[in-house]
Amino acid sequence: MDGAMGLLGGGGGGGSSGGSTDGSMSTVSKAEVVEQDYVGLMSEVSSYPAEAELELGLGLSLGGAMKAKPCAWREYGRILTAKDFPSVVSRGSSASSSSSSGRGTSTTAITGTKRTADTVAQDVGHANGASSQVVGWPPIRAYRINSLASQVKASTAEEDDHSIFGNDKNKNSAKKDTNNSNNKNNSNIQEKGCRRSSLFVKVNMDGVPIGRKVDLNAHSCYESLAQTLEDMFHRPTTTVNANRSSGEKEHNLMVEAAKSSRLLDGSSEFVLTYEDKEGDWMLVGDVPWGMFLNTVKRLRIMRTSEANGLAPRFQERDQRQTPAPRLRGSKPI
Amino acid sequence: MTYFPEEVLEHVFDFLSSHRDRNAVSQVCKSWFRVERWSRHRVFIGNCYAISPERVIARFPRVRALTLKGKPHFADFSLVPHDWGGFVYPWIVAMAKSYPDLEELRLKRMVVSDESLELLSRSFPNFQSLVLVSCEGFSTDGLASIAANCRVLRELDLQENEVEDRRGHWLGCFPDSCTSLVSLNFACLKGEVNLGALERLVARCPNLRSLRLNRAVPLEALHKILTRAPQLVDIGIGSYVHESNSEAYVKLCNAVLNCKSVQSLSGFLEVAPCCLPAFYPICLNLTSLNLSYAPGIQGNELINLIRHCRKLQRLWILDYIGDKGLEVVASTCKELQELRVFPYDPYGGGNATVTEEGLVAISMGCPKLHSLLYFCRQMTNAALINVAKNCPNFTRFRLCILDPTKPDHVTLQPLDEGFGAIVQSCKGLRRLSLSGLLTDQVFLYIGMYAERLEMLSIAFAGESDKGMLYVLNGCKNLRKLEIRDSPFGDIALLTNVGKYETMRSLWMSSCDVTLGGCKALAKKMPRLNVEIINEKDQMMENSHDDGEKVEKMFVYRTLCGPRRDAPDFVWTL
């Protein structure tokens, strides 16, 4: 039963103080894996060999390839579960020492045991040299591991957006270059359970009783989203009409022919806002696109005059000392 | 004997900045001791439990800068339980009473509470510099008090800390009168920041040299910040996602062109690599580049970026750069001194990563290389011997083969000869981390050749007690020894106990030392704290026998006896 991470294989061969010969398989065989509670880590029990899917959880998954083979190394990025850790307390006599230790089911950190060259070769054959999931190994700061994991999740979402629209030829070629990119995509599939193909959210505009829907995943940045929204709600006129009657259907937006959207730069009568997961109404454009996608629930094109205390966003030279723009009812950032 | 008046001595001692020099000087005679202690303004304490704050204050009454380190190094890898210790609060309380002139505090692996930060901010009117590395226990509220109360703050540098982000407006707490910032690094914060406040802060601090943003600062804000601070020398990019043909990107390109002093670049926490060319103009002068948190930069974009960096001295990257990428580095970055290659996917396997070939290429192309951290999946003795020959100047050599007991993948031999070559050739080696399949032989080499070695990290290595003893008996300058999962037992532990008083600390986990051995050590050496860390069973003292193996042991010299803030699961013998 390969709960062992392969390290168990050589057993006590590494030379405990008992002086067992090195390199020989000891009494500790892989079959002696015993389930233990693992110190400090969440134990999410899973039936080990059957578990071919990646489990979600703490971001240990970093986009490696999914391996379906039930070999010792295969599960990457999985929460270490109870079954992963054998009861080896010392090399050479795991079974006896665990009972004599009187620690009962308490476990130690994994003691990596010495492995024979055979075992090594064997595992290399099985696995792709993936490192075992021993606590604290490989020696990378927990901060770095967590940080990288969460970034991969965020950036794969964005990469998907980019690749869908072919915005970035370089990136596509880069994907072909390295396996990692492919694996990232694979892991994205497994991780999220689905690839994000479309993300439709409602859009309402002040004064327009009928709303629209827009697919956020069809865009990769704020500019193109704003452009699309302007097109959606566009009424062709040449002047900005200050008429604020809410029943009117005719609204006057100057549509910028160029790339930057007036909705975003604060120069139009309207601003683009969104409701986030916490129920607050926020100004669109402050946070990175990926973060925005994760928190947006719906959009609203709001009259600038109704957005209390909202300073125009892109003020170049103006040295305003006003506090940060704050929408009515929202929390200060 | 001396005929110099003490003022002259003090003036001379002012030129001594190294702690070792000052320590040496203070031992010459009573008069020198006295002069030195009054003139020492910077104190470095490598283990906060080695001495109490009161004693430090008694010895050095006029300290202005303090560096403190708390948890053992293996705490970085989750081997030390959270509440083990390393609290800074008692230090701040003591210093608040006695060091009114405190200006700088630098902490590593310590527990820092919001309360500590609040007290710090209120107690030292001249406080200028706070650097927190790998710390935890505080939130953005604590940062708010620092921002609000430290009137002459120059440096707030947060490196890889676990900060509870309460999404407060801490950036807005810098008063309008605060114009003294030179360095601000909040890259490790996870939450949103007040962009307007950030921009205004940058605008009013003309001396700002170093600014490292977190992920929540988008590209649109970046160009405005760079426009306001073209004098920046060190930039950490937050989020960098945009279409390359957008107006914001064009503005950014212009802003970057204006930043003529940038030497250090990092971050790119979220990135659209198509936008990287905006930074090519500053690559020419870059001496430091950290892309180890930028998994989005890969393949050709990465290579193209590096090709522009001919003056690079420090490079931190992820291992998907591959051997080919390292060859590009080797041919481009002739000034390279420090290289760190981190694994992009440590738990997966078999994807494109780096191998011994990449390392050899680097050693051939970069003769000035002296500091290395290299994660890889395979290594050979031949490669290490080659590297040792090409780069005899290593001061720090840390090799981590992801599979902990993997031998030379060609010969299937242990890697003893390879590491042996490294220690033999690199006479200035101060720090070494081993990995791969290793027998006692490698320790024989280390004991024999590594005379300047100060820190040694061992994992899954060795065969018998002899291995550890070679090291303890041989390495004269050893200060920190940390060992995990290696077959060293009581004999190794107890044969040369005097050695531990010459060292800062010894860590052994999942080895073969027994409770009885630890007790014997504690008994023989009263000026060491022998801590047994056993998270599972807190009734240790009663229910265990001496033959039992100890899970985690941390031994360190101290002048204070057992510490009083030890949690239940730590038993000091």
Side-chain angles (χ1 to χ4, degrees):
Chain A
M1 149 74 141
D2 283 352
M5 290 298 149
L7 285 185
L8 255 209
S16 59
S17 38
S20 56
T21 58
D22 63 331
S24 60
M25 293 288 264
S26 79
T27 54
V28 180
S29 69
K30 290 184 182 176
E32 280 189 35
V33 175
V34 172
E35 294 168 28
Q36 300 283 318
D37 286 336
Y38 188 73
V39 169
L41 286 190
M42 162 195 142
S43 64
E44 186 190 309
V45 179
S46 60
S47 58
Y48 189 89
E51 210 69 14
E53 312 85 59
L54 183 65
E55 297 176 25
L56 281 183
L58 299 178
L60 289 180
S61 155
L62 295 179
M66 212 36 219
K67 296 172 270 301
K69 306 177 259 190
C71 69
W73 302 110
R74 63 165 170 75
E75 301 233 2
Y76 79 101
R78 194 167 59 81
I79 304 287
L80 304 178
T81 71
K83 294 189 189 248
D84 293 328
F85 297 98
S87 66
V88 175
V89 171
S90 67
R91 278 160 293 289
S93 54
S94 73
S96 52
S97 69
S98 48
S99 54
S100 67
S101 75
R103 293 184 211 178
T105 56
S106 71
T107 231
T108 61
I110 282 299
T111 58
T113 57
K114 290 307 259 201
R115 302 190 306 154
T116 64
D118 299 333
T119 332
V120 171
Q122 180 188 1
D123 283 331
V124 167
H126 272 301
N128 328 6
S131 67
S132 60
Q133 297 192 30
V134 171
V135 170
W137 191 268
I140 307 170
R141 269 190 191 161
Y143 171 88
R144 179 178 287 279
I145 292 179
N146 295 337
S147 179
L148 212 52
S150 57
Q151 282 165 40
V152 167
K153 282 189 191 173
S155 66
T156 41
E158 297 187 40
E159 273 195 3
D160 294 338
D161 294 340
H162 279 117
S163 64
I164 287 172
F165 292 89
N167 284 336
D168 185 1
K169 301 179 187 55
N170 283 343
K171 193 188 289 282
N172 285 335
S173 64
K175 282 191 178 181
K176 292 181 188 105
D177 281 346
T178 63
N179 294 337
N180 275 320
S181 303
N182 294 333
N183 292 326
K184 262 203 283 194
N185 289 331
N186 290 340
S187 77
N188 188 42
I189 292 171
Q190 270 94 28
E191 271 183 67
K192 300 284 187 189
C194 63
R195 225 171 143 101
R196 284 213 272 207
S197 49
S198 59
L199 178 61
F200 281 97
V201 297
K202 291 186 194 170
V203 189
N204 286 91
M205 180 163 167
D206 285 0
V208 180
I210 307 290
R212 303 290 301 266
K213 271 203 160 179
V214 65
D215 178 5
L216 291 180
N217 274 346
H219 302 275
S220 52
C221 64
Y222 292 116
E223 296 281 341
S224 75
L225 171 66
Q227 196 65 51
T228 301
L229 292 177
E230 284 186 15
D231 291 342
M232 266 187 188
F233 290 92
H234 168 57
R235 296 291 178 270
T237 63
T238 53
T239 57
V240 176
N241 189 335
N243 187 337
R244 297 175 51 207
S245 154
S246 59
E248 291 217 3
K249 280 199 173 180
E250 292 289 322
H251 289 270
N252 308 302
L253 276 178
M254 290 254 276
V255 174
E256 188 104 4
K259 300 155 204 162
S260 72
S261 158
R262 297 188 63 235
L263 268 183
L264 286 184
D265 69 10
S267 57
S268 103
E269 188 192 337
F270 291 86
V271 287
L272 184 56
T273 64
Y274 70 101
E275 184 183 11
D276 71 5
K277 279 187 189 156
E278 294 167 1
D280 299 319
W281 286 93
M282 315 292 288
L283 189 65
V284 163
D286 283 336
V287 297
W289 178 256
M291 201 185 272
F292 168 69
L293 288 184
N294 280 333
T295 57
V296 62
K297 281 186 359 196
R298 53 187 169 134
L299 299 170
R300 176 179 164 194
I301 303 175
M302 184 189 281
R303 289 204 177 88
T304 315
S305 52
E306 282 196 17
N308 275 3
L310 191 66
R313 271 169 45 85
F314 284 18
Q315 286 232 319
E316 293 293 330
R317 299 274 175 252
D318 197 335
Q319 297 297 331
R320 281 186 174 218
Q321 295 302 320
T322 53
R326 207 183 275 201
L327 299 181
R328 186 174 37 184
S330 71
K331 293 192 281 222
I333 342 174
Chain B
M1 68 175 180
T2 173
Y3 300 106
F4 291 135
E6 294 195 346
E7 298 81 45
V8 174
L9 274 181
E10 186 171 335
H11 186 67
V12 171
F13 291 170
D14 275 348
F15 290 98
L16 297 175
S17 50
S18 138
H19 298 291
R20 285 178 206 197
D21 290 344
R22 279 191 163 261
N23 291 343
V25 138
S26 67
Q27 290 176 7
V28 166
C29 66
K30 281 201 179 138
S31 159
W32 284 36
F33 179 88
R34 194 172 51 243
V35 172
E36 195 283 317
R37 73 180 261 264
W38 280 96
S39 67
R40 190 177 312 209
H41 300 305
R42 316 187 67 89
V43 174
F44 170 87
I45 298 177
N47 174 3
C48 64
Y49 290 119
I51 189 151
S52 71
E54 291 73 27
R55 284 188 71 157
V56 175
I57 293 171
R59 166 94 189 258
F60 301 115
R62 292 220 199 117
V63 167
R64 293 190 212 137
L66 179 68
T67 302
L68 273 177
K69 296 192 181 179
K71 300 187 193 178
H73 175 233
F74 276 177
D76 280 349
F77 319 131
S78 312
L79 286 179
V80 176
H82 254 294
D83 337 321
W84 174 85
F87 306 105
V88 77
Y89 188 70
W91 288 85
I92 298 186
V93 166
M95 291 194 295
K97 291 187 212 133
S98 311
Y99 287 158
D101 296 330
L102 190 72
E103 294 173 0
E104 298 175 28
L105 186 61
R106 192 189 168 104
L107 305 176
K108 186 167 186 180
R109 278 190 288 272
M110 294 201 70
V111 177
V112 181
S113 62
D114 283 344
E115 208 186 358
S116 313
L117 291 176
E118 163 91 28
L119 182 60
L120 175 69
S121 72
R122 293 197 187 280
S123 307
F124 308 106
N126 283 342
F127 195 74
Q128 295 175 15
S129 166
L130 180 64
V131 180
L132 302 178
V133 181
S134 274
C135 296
E136 55 170 354
F138 61 103
S139 75
T140 45
D141 291 350
L143 298 178
S145 31
I146 297 285
N149 301 328
C150 298
R151 304 274 147 157
V152 291
L153 193 69
R154 290 162 42 109
E155 180 176 24
L156 179 59
D157 185 359
L158 308 171
Q159 297 177 27
E160 301 192 340
N161 302 289
E162 295 291 345
V163 185
E164 185 192 335
D165 202 317
R166 300 218 179 119
R167 302 188 168 208
H169 44 285
W170 68 276
L171 263 180
C173 291
F174 281 103
D176 287 345
S177 55
C178 173
T179 56
S180 48
L181 271 186
V182 172
S183 167
L184 178 63
N185 172 6
F186 58 93
C188 64
L189 295 187
K190 301 183 196 105
E192 298 174 22
V193 290
N194 183 330
L195 295 174
L198 173 62
E199 210 197 314
R200 288 190 296 276
L201 181 63
V202 169
R204 65 179 183 268
C205 293
N207 295 324
L208 195 66
R209 292 276 172 277
S210 168
L211 179 64
R212 298 193 182 187
L213 309 168
N214 78 342
R215 196 180 311 171
V217 179
L219 188 135
E220 292 83 357
L222 180 63
H223 100 259
K224 296 163 84 180
I225 288 171
L226 291 184
T227 307
R228 298 221 192 267
Q231 76 282 3
L232 284 175
V233 170
D234 168 19
I235 303 179
I237 310 270
S239 164
Y240 193 69
V241 179
H242 217 283
E243 285 185 26
S244 61
N245 57 351
S246 73
E247 195 174 313
Y249 177 71
V250 171
K251 288 185 196 167
L252 176 70
C253 287
N254 292 332
V256 167
L257 278 174
N258 236 355
C259 293
K260 304 198 195 297
S261 313
V262 175
Q263 293 182 348
S264 168
L265 199 55
S266 63
F268 295 95
L269 303 176
E270 283 184 19
V271 64
C274 58
C275 306
L276 282 180
F279 285 94
Y280 288 171
I282 48 177
C283 285
L284 298 172
N285 286 326
L286 273 190
T287 56
S288 168
L289 180 61
N290 179 355
L291 296 177
S292 63
Y293 285 104
I297 304 181
Q298 295 199 22
N300 286 337
E301 286 94 19
L302 177 57
I303 302 295
N304 289 339
L305 187 66
I306 289 180
R307 275 195 215 277
H308 284 81
C309 303
R310 304 205 144 263
K311 293 196 189 160
L312 218 51
Q313 295 172 13
R314 183 190 326 162
L315 177 63
W316 292 24
I317 38 172
L318 292 167
D319 64 356
Y320 53 63
I321 191 176
D323 289 336
K324 289 279 175 272
L326 287 181
E327 282 165 28
V328 174
V329 172
S331 62
T332 310
C333 310
K334 294 301 185 186
E335 304 294 314
L336 196 66
Q337 298 179 18
E338 176 181 333
L339 175 67
R340 297 198 189 188
V341 182
F342 294 96
Y344 170 65
D345 181 13
Y347 302 108
N351 299 325
T353 60
V354 294
T355 70
E356 73 276 12
E357 293 180 14
L359 184 58
V360 171
I362 291 279
S363 74
M364 292 199 309
C366 308
K368 298 190 184 178
L369 191 68
H370 66 78
S371 173
L372 179 75
L373 171 61
Y374 197 80
F375 285 84
C376 59
R377 294 188 195 277
Q378 60 186 50
M379 187 50 59
T380 63
N381 284 310
L384 285 175
I385 292 169
N386 208 345
V387 168
K389 205 167 35 141
N390 296 332
C391 290
N393 296 322
F394 274 116
T395 55
R396 279 178 286 248
F397 190 89
R398 297 196 277 163
L399 181 67
C400 177
I401 302 170
L402 288 171
D403 177 350
T405 51
K406 189 163 179 173
D408 179 323
H409 75 94
V410 169
T411 66
L412 297 185
Q413 292 299 303
L415 289 171
D416 301 331
E417 297 306 311
F419 280 105
I422 295 282
V423 291
Q424 196 176 357
S425 159
C426 304
K427 310 248 187 280
L429 194 67
R430 295 198 312 259
R431 182 168 179 183
L432 178 65
S433 297
L434 308 170
S435 60
L437 185 66
L438 296 164
T439 70
D440 287 342
Q441 185 71 8
V442 70
F443 299 113
L444 176 67
Y445 291 141
I446 292 174
M448 232 168 25
Y449 295 114
E451 293 189 351
R452 298 259 175 86
L453 193 66
E454 296 176 5
M455 181 168 176
L456 179 62
S457 307
I458 302 171
F460 306 98
E463 302 161 292
S464 75
D465 291 324
K466 284 195 291 193
M468 185 166 158
L469 284 173
Y470 288 140
V471 172
L472 291 177
N473 294 333
C475 300
K476 296 190 303 233
N477 285 306
L478 194 64
R479 289 191 295 130
K480 285 184 284 186
L481 180 59
E482 46 187 27
I483 308 173
R484 62 167 293 180
D485 295 275
S486 301
F488 306 133
D490 293 340
I491 297 176
L493 183 68
L494 296 173
T495 303
N496 186 356
V497 292
K499 178 75 175 173
Y500 306 130
E501 272 194 7
T502 70
M503 291 165 53
R504 186 189 298 173
S505 66
L506 166 70
W507 169 280
M508 293 181 77
S509 60
S510 306
C511 297
D512 290 349
V513 292
T514 68
L515 188 55
C518 295
K519 285 183 179 172
L521 174 61
K523 188 156 179 205
K524 273 194 205 177
M525 304 294 292
R527 289 199 297 191
L528 299 178
N529 274 356
V530 179
E531 289 190 7
I532 310 291
I533 300 167
N534 186 342
E535 298 143 86
K536 272 301 175 180
D537 195 335
Q538 303 187 357
M539 302 289 287
M540 293 178 274
E541 295 157 42
N542 302 325
S543 58
H544 299 260
D545 71 282
D546 286 358
E548 210 182 298
K549 299 218 175 146
V550 158
E551 183 184 324
K552 296 176 185 175
M553 177 194 75
F554 186 50
V555 178
Y556 54 92
R557 65 181 176 190
T558 176
L559 296 176
C560 300
R563 56 186 174 109
R564 273 167 275 156
D565 63 0
D568 288 338
F569 53 80
V570 170
W571 178 18
T572 307
L573 296 172

